[in-house]
Amino acid sequence: QVQLVESGGGLVPAGGSLRLSCAASGRTFSSYTMGWFRQAPGKERALVAAMRGSGGSTYYADSVKGRFTISRDTGKNTVYLQMNNLKPEDTAVYYCAAKAPWRVTTSTTYDYWGQGTQVTVSS
């Protein structure tokens, strides 16, 4: 089983930056698709960014393209979400998630989830 723990959230003014970290356990971490989701009050959880285990394919929601970057450090078993030029509408709880390598690439099911970290962007 994979255990995920997020960190790096906080309060930041509009235009600022944050770097979220997701520490993962498991020897097969590098083979998992990793995703970052967010859920704002009153809104449905949405996928923000994802990276396949190979690192050769990434996805970004239109709302964050050009501002957010997902990356991973396999040596540290950690995935990151660099968030630049933050906007108040980015305020949400951000979750790290992992999708097992045996799932098809189009699957929307992620198998492991972190507890979430709050990101608040002030006006």
Side-chain angles (χ1 to χ4, degrees):
Q1 186 173 350
V2 176
Q3 188 80 25
L4 306 175
V5 180
E6 304 100 329
S7 62
L11 176 65
V12 63
S17 299
L18 283 174
R19 189 190 192 193
L20 305 183
S21 298
C22 175
S25 65
R27 296 179 180 179
T28 60
F29 166 76
S30 63
S31 66
Y32 281 67
T33 294
M34 302 300 297
W36 285 98
F37 291 78
R38 69 184 182 187
Q39 186 167 24
K43 295 185 177 180
E44 191 171 340
R45 183 182 62 197
L47 179 65
V48 174
M51 174 178 283
R52 296 189 66 178
S54 66
S57 180
T58 58
Y59 163 86
Y60 296 96
D62 289 341
S63 59
V64 306
K65 286 181 179 177
R67 300 190 297 120
F68 290 12
T69 303
I70 187 172
S71 62
R72 69 168 73 205
D73 184 335
T74 56
K76 296 182 178 180
N77 280 353
T78 301
V79 63
Y80 304 95
L81 184 67
Q82 179 67 47
M83 305 184 295
N84 297 324
N85 191 24
L86 284 162
K87 303 176 180 180
E89 50 263 44
D90 295 319
T91 296
V93 177
Y94 284 71
Y95 298 90
C96 176
K99 180 164 62 178
W102 57 83
R103 295 192 180 276
V104 296
T105 56
T106 55
S107 175
T108 59
T109 301
Y110 280 71
D111 299 279
Y112 304 101
W113 294 83
Q115 297 303 116
T117 185
Q118 177 71 49
V119 172
T120 302
V121 184
S122 61
S123 302

